[in-house]
Amino acid sequence: MQTTSEDQQRNQMKVNSRTEGHPPKSLVASSVDESTALRSVITLTVDGMKCAGCVSAVEGKLMNHPTVLEASVNLVTTKATVTFAGSASDAHLIAANLVETISALGFPTRVETLPGDDNAGDDGSSAWGVTAADDLQMDGRSPKSTASGIRQDVVPLAIAIGLLLASCVGHLKHLGWADIPVLSSIWFHCGLATLALAWPGRTILLDGWRSLRHGIPNMNTLVGLGMSASYGASLIALLRPSLGWECFFDEPVMLVGFILLGRALEQHARTRAKQSIEALFARQPHVARLLPVSEKTVDRSVDQPMDIGLLTQMQSVDIPTQNVQVGQWLKVLPGDQVPVDGIIIAGRTTIDEAILTGESLPLEKTLGDRISAGSLNQSGAIAIQAIRVGRETTLSRMIQLVEVAQTRKAPVQKLADTVAGYFAYGVMAVAAMTFGFWYLVGTQLWPRVLMGGEHVLHHGVMAGGGMTVETSPLLLSLKLAIAVLVVACPCALGLATPTAIMVGSGIGAEQGLLIRGGDVLEKVHRLDTIVFDKTGTLTTGHPTVTRVTSLTPDFSEDDILTLAASAEQETQHPVGQAIQYAAEERSLSLRAVHDVQTESGSGVTAWVQDAPLYVGKNAWVRQHVEWDADTQSAIDDVEMQAVGSVVLIALGQTVLGLVVVEDHLRDDACACVAALQAMKIDVRVLTGDRQSAAAPIVDQLGLSTDALIAGVQPNQKSDVIQSLQHDQRVVCMVGDGMNDAPALAQADVGIAMHSGTDVAIETSDIVLMRDRLADVAESIHLGRRVVRKIRQNLFWALAYNTLGIPIAAGALLPAWGLLLSPANAGVLMAFSSVSVVVNALLLRRFTQPQST
């Protein structure tokens, strides 16, 4: 969808900071001039992907489109996020073209969201989980229902397992247990193999052939070649007994059964990995109770107490949640989920916000308090006024962030996908070389490998090889080549990273940690420096006036405070609000001011009658007003004694006095800093306050004065981050204000408090929904655990293929007599995929770091 100019500025600030000097390769390679191009996003659902080779093929095809700037395909979520150069009006045509192109490759594709959809986020993600643009489903079928999807998966598996059991019973004769006339017949086993390939194995063969025909061989291609070769060789041996070949019809039966069983286990594990995002979707309310109030009533101030009894007795109208408009009044009864973000205008209750923040204890809410969509109303009936609806609600934005996080790849995954793109070709080449070597050379060098009977058994050839009789060089070479095809597992490479990212981002969402993607997690793992903004981040953000000093006998302390509050009455800055609150406590009447101008982080200029009034920091006021040495000495005395911020008040060219405003550390600030230091992370504090004013805060945190970076103007914060990066540090910035946004964007990782400004949240990489500083340490701990799992998975996937392929090719056969049959190779291949997903699921044992 087309963004507002403000949104475009936010996004551009983030993009410029991230890509300056290091543009993404996908953008460099694109023929589109991005400097003038409008960027829009489409989300596609791509079915039929089996391994990382498929992912690489789909991404490559998408990137070949002339308008596509970036494309990211996720094997686990089956989603493709495509950024193209064009407006929302171009999206329908481009999406149709992309869907047709990818579907023609053999991957049925449909549009999930378009940038023009009402429910689509700025990044193209769906806020409500609604499939958009059904008319663009080029494969001619709607998405599978859950029931039909289960039947399509379970029925072939059940048949394959039945055939496998029948084959095993038929082989009892070879074990000397029982000779069942029909089941022991070779023709019966031929029938079982034929049925296995024609029914449950048919999809594997067709998909493998289709992928090979399109020049993108995948795991099904390798397995299909193995099954076809073993079946074909056995059929020839059966029809031409004079060749003296061995029949092994049990191999294709076992392959189909083991492959489908492994995929079923893998799919079950994937489903568990998706539980977190599915839980978020499940908490989206679908119905709201609309109160039929007039426009005049709606315009009344929400601060006016309303009769909850009268409102709850009104007959409400049930409407779809997506139809709720900002400003409308809604009734929320005990047990209801809150349908939209709103403000309570009547009643009081307790709200369970666990789905948003991970906090198990409910919170008391009353008149004027904000509540969020998806939270649960527990005790009392309330009426709320909608302030955010649709994709703008907190829950919807959480879902958007998690969805995007699961599509953004870690750099290490891109390398794995690139390797997997050539993997199938390499495996087929190795299989061909294995066949040639053993047929032409190996059986000549080591003729004993062809011998059956006692010699073979003595040397342990029975590693599933089934070689109980002397075999031919051709048959042995074929078996080894088939084992190579079957044992290779590009799927494990493809699942290694996205499953860990999916589980990790889901765990984060459950605990109120919104992490934007795998690339963020990888950076979190490398962090060595964290810079905290002081005001509103380390401190509560609710300062109080602790001292008012008059520097002239003509103005009392109340006069000083009155003038300061008069200038600050339109500000939203915490210091200005503290001054206003102090004036209210003293019941002071504010002066009329005009032409108020605010300079962010410095001060406020206002006019009182015909005289300029300056309220701000010492250095800033000094730019407008000159004073003598006695006044400077009085100011220095106050600043030396003050613990908080010192605000000067000057009228015309006279300094009238000072106001001291103190803020206090958050309750968990010290514990958070201690936990970060235990992780060997250097902690710094960034503030615009004077060194002497901020030093006590740093001392309370247990940090040295070297950790304090004081006197920094808002426009200098990003420069501070950049200077640390120039020292080869990997820097995290933690902030909450609008003036923190440039620094959040400049940092390698930006962390924003959810109570902060929208622009700070938009430019950050991690959002802390609970507004707890302790979550900073927890997010880093989680990031490190996820990256550790990614590395474990990639190591296993690479080690498995590095060891498994040579063993399948017969590396242990000459010296040890160990042979890996195609059936056992299929078991190992299925196990490798399942183990990667299960290892990622072990992240759910994630424990919070101990605060010291």
Side-chain angles (χ1 to χ4, degrees):
M1 64 184 293
Q2 290 177 322
T3 58
T4 64
S5 59
E6 183 182 0
D7 289 335
Q8 289 174 345
Q9 290 173 0
R10 294 177 189 172
N11 295 337
Q12 192 61 44
M13 175 166 46
K14 189 73 169 180
V15 170
N16 290 345
S17 172
R18 290 286 187 254
T19 61
E20 184 177 0
H22 302 281
K25 293 182 179 179
S26 57
L27 301 188
V28 175
S30 174
S31 60
V32 180
D33 182 6
E34 192 190 357
S35 61
T36 58
L38 176 64
R39 295 162 63 92
S40 301
V41 179
I42 297 171
T43 306
L44 307 175
T45 295
V46 184
D47 295 325
M49 295 187 295
K50 299 297 188 298
C51 63
C54 300
V55 171
S56 179
V58 172
E59 282 186 349
K61 202 68 175 179
L62 289 171
M63 287 301 301
N64 285 337
H65 193 278
T67 66
V68 172
L69 300 173
E70 296 176 89
S72 178
V73 181
N74 191 298
L75 176 63
V76 179
T77 62
T78 68
K79 294 290 190 295
T81 303
V82 183
T83 304
F84 66 93
S87 64
S89 59
D90 304 321
H92 195 281
L93 182 61
I94 293 174
N97 187 266
L98 293 176
V99 168
E100 185 174 12
T101 300
I102 303 304
S103 296
L105 279 180
F107 303 103
T109 303
R110 61 184 181 274
V111 175
E112 186 74 15
T113 58
L114 293 172
D117 291 345
D118 291 339
N119 292 330
D122 294 338
D123 51 15
S125 60
S126 173
W128 295 98
V130 178
T131 300
D134 288 336
D135 56 313
L136 295 180
Q137 292 174 8
M138 304 301 292
D139 56 343
R141 56 185 178 85
S142 60
K144 296 186 297 183
S145 67
T146 302
S148 63
I150 292 175
R151 283 196 301 271
Q152 292 183 14
D153 293 335
V154 171
V155 173
L157 174 61
I159 294 172
I161 296 300
L163 295 175
L164 178 59
L165 292 176
S167 177
C168 292
V169 172
H171 280 288
L172 292 178
K173 172 185 176 181
H174 300 291
L175 299 176
W177 289 1
D179 184 3
I180 306 175
V182 176
L183 299 184
S184 299
S185 169
I186 190 62
W187 288 99
F188 173 76
H189 288 280
C190 176
L192 290 179
T194 304
L195 188 59
L197 296 183
W199 196 340
R202 181 172 177 271
T203 56
I204 297 176
L205 294 173
L206 291 179
D207 181 74
W209 164 246
R210 183 167 52 244
S211 299
L212 184 61
R213 182 165 53 88
H214 287 296
I216 47 173
N218 59 13
M219 189 178 69
N220 279 347
T221 304
L222 301 178
V223 174
L225 285 173
M227 292 191 304
S228 301
S230 58
Y231 178 79
S234 299
L235 190 62
I236 292 174
L238 177 62
L239 299 177
R240 296 284 302 275
S242 59
L243 293 175
W245 290 4
E246 174 193 351
C247 291
F248 47 102
F249 285 115
D250 54 317
E251 299 289 1
V253 177
M254 291 182 179
L255 280 176
V256 172
F258 292 147
I259 296 299
L260 294 182
L261 178 60
R263 288 185 182 174
L265 295 174
E266 176 192 320
Q267 186 59 43
H268 176 70
R270 287 200 209 183
T271 301
R272 288 190 58 195
K274 296 178 183 179
Q275 284 178 347
S276 297
I277 183 66
E278 289 174 351
L280 288 176
F281 274 117
R283 292 300 295 267
Q284 292 184 122
H286 300 293
V287 177
R289 305 177 191 270
L290 178 65
L291 290 171
V293 292
S294 66
E295 291 295 327
K296 182 178 180 181
T297 306
V298 172
D299 289 338
R300 294 178 62 180
S301 170
V302 297
D303 293 328
Q304 298 181 22
M306 304 296 298
D307 185 350
I308 184 59
L310 177 63
L311 288 176
T312 54
Q313 288 173 13
M314 286 184 182
Q315 187 66 34
S316 60
V317 179
D318 289 349
I319 63 171
T321 304
Q322 58 263 40
N323 293 345
V324 176
Q325 303 295 318
V326 173
Q328 289 183 325
W329 288 13
L330 307 171
K331 179 166 59 176
V332 185
L333 299 178
D336 285 353
Q337 288 179 337
V338 179
V340 297
D341 289 1
I343 296 177
I344 297 178
I345 54 176
R348 61 188 307 124
T349 186
T350 54
I351 296 291
D352 179 2
E353 296 183 338
I355 188 66
L356 302 173
T357 65
E359 293 284 4
S360 57
L361 295 178
L363 302 175
E364 291 189 5
K365 300 285 184 176
T366 187
L367 182 69
D369 288 340
R370 293 193 176 194
I371 56 177
S372 300
S375 55
L376 182 65
N377 182 21
Q378 289 194 327
S379 59
I382 56 174
I384 67 172
Q385 185 175 25
I387 58 174
R388 287 198 186 102
V389 299
R391 68 180 183 84
E392 296 299 328
T393 65
T394 301
L395 178 61
S396 294
R397 295 179 76 83
M398 279 183 64
I399 292 174
Q400 292 171 33
L401 285 172
V402 175
E403 284 185 322
V404 172
Q406 294 176 348
T407 59
R408 285 173 58 175
K409 296 183 178 181
V412 68
Q413 182 184 351
K414 296 177 182 179
L415 176 62
D417 287 348
T418 301
V419 172
Y422 302 97
F423 188 86
Y425 288 109
V427 171
M428 288 189 289
V430 172
M433 289 188 291
T434 298
F435 177 85
F437 172 79
W438 284 104
Y439 184 67
L440 299 174
V441 180
T443 52
Q444 304 296 322
L445 291 176
W446 303 287
R448 59 189 175 85
V449 300
L450 299 174
M451 300 175 61
E454 294 181 0
H455 180 81
V456 174
L457 290 172
H458 178 73
H459 282 83
V461 179
M462 297 305 300
M467 295 177 58
T468 57
V469 296
E470 184 174 346
T471 187
S472 68
L474 178 62
L475 204 59
L476 175 65
S477 304
L478 184 61
K479 278 192 173 184
L480 292 170
I482 292 171
V484 170
L485 290 171
V486 174
V487 80
C489 188
C491 194
L493 279 174
L495 293 171
T497 302
T499 48
I501 291 174
M502 170 174 283
V503 175
S505 58
I507 291 172
E510 290 173 356
Q511 299 186 355
L513 313 174
L514 297 188
I515 303 171
R516 292 187 186 268
D519 52 337
V520 175
L521 289 168
E522 193 159 327
K523 292 175 184 175
V524 165
H525 178 76
R526 296 186 289 110
L527 286 177
D528 54 36
T529 304
I530 286 187
V531 178
F532 285 94
D533 174 64
K534 182 181 77 70
T535 304
T537 304
L538 282 171
T539 62
T540 61
H542 301 290
T544 57
V545 173
T546 58
R547 178 177 177 181
V548 180
T549 301
S550 175
L551 299 179
T552 174
D554 296 333
F555 287 82
S556 66
E557 291 185 2
D558 284 356
D559 292 334
I560 301 298
L561 191 57
T562 297
L563 287 172
S566 298
E568 297 278 12
Q569 57 189 310
E570 298 298 329
T571 187
Q572 297 298 316
H573 192 278
V575 171
Q577 290 180 331
I579 292 174
Q580 294 175 61
Y581 183 73
E584 290 177 8
E585 282 191 319
R586 299 191 185 191
S587 300
L588 302 177
S589 298
L590 302 186
R591 302 280 296 274
V593 297
H594 58 91
D595 295 335
V596 180
Q597 294 183 349
T598 300
E599 188 168 332
S600 178
S602 297
V604 177
T605 303
W607 286 81
V608 179
Q609 295 179 347
D610 295 328
L613 173 64
Y614 303 103
V615 179
K617 293 181 177 179
N618 186 333
W620 179 79
V621 175
R622 192 64 184 258
Q623 296 174 10
H624 304 280
V625 180
E626 294 183 1
W627 53 78
D628 55 29
D630 291 339
T631 301
Q632 182 61 51
S633 176
I635 293 173
D636 290 341
D637 288 342
V638 173
E639 288 187 337
M640 288 294 292
Q641 299 172 23
V643 177
S645 302
V646 177
V647 179
L648 270 65
I649 296 88
L651 184 63
Q653 289 298 308
T654 304
V655 178
L656 304 181
L658 306 95
V659 175
V660 179
V661 180
E662 293 184 18
D663 201 356
H664 303 283
L665 282 175
R666 291 174 181 258
D667 292 339
D668 58 348
C670 294
C672 173
V673 170
L676 293 171
Q677 289 178 320
M679 297 181 190
K680 309 300 182 184
I681 295 177
D682 184 21
V683 180
R684 305 288 181 94
V685 177
L686 183 66
T687 180
D689 291 343
R690 309 174 331 279
Q691 181 88 12
S692 59
I697 293 288
V698 173
D699 185 59
Q700 292 178 53
L701 293 171
L703 299 173
S704 67
T705 54
D706 294 337
L708 177 61
I709 309 172
V712 179
Q713 296 297 314
N715 58 356
Q716 298 174 333
K717 290 184 177 181
S718 61
D719 296 335
V720 171
I721 301 299
Q722 195 170 36
S723 67
L724 291 171
Q725 291 171 326
H726 286 163
D727 293 335
Q728 306 303 312
R729 293 175 177 268
V730 183
V731 183
C732 171
M733 171 69 188
V734 185
D736 71 327
M738 182 177 295
N739 56 25
D740 294 327
L744 289 168
Q746 175 64 43
D748 297 284
V749 176
I751 299 180
M753 315 295 284
H754 183 250
S755 60
T757 61
D758 287 344
V759 66
I761 293 173
E762 290 296 331
T763 53
S764 65
D765 299 297
I766 300 174
V767 181
L768 308 182
M769 298 296 295
R770 292 186 287 197
D771 286 320
R772 296 193 329 174
L773 275 181
D775 285 346
V776 173
E778 290 179 16
S779 64
I780 295 173
H781 183 58
L782 175 60
R784 290 182 172 183
R785 289 286 303 274
V786 170
V787 171
R788 194 175 303 130
K789 284 297 178 186
I790 290 174
R791 292 180 175 178
Q792 290 172 2
N793 283 348
L794 287 174
F795 173 80
W796 163 249
L798 292 171
Y800 163 81
N801 285 290
T802 302
L803 297 175
I805 292 176
I807 292 174
L812 303 181
L813 186 56
W816 302 92
L818 294 177
L819 173 68
L820 187 67
S821 76
N824 283 351
V827 172
L828 290 177
M829 188 273 289
F831 171 73
S832 68
S833 298
V834 174
S835 63
V836 163
V837 181
V838 170
N839 188 47
L841 286 172
L842 292 178
L843 274 169
R844 293 202 166 274
R845 296 165 58 188
F846 167 68
T847 54
Q848 300 178 358
Q850 298 298 317
S851 299
T852 57

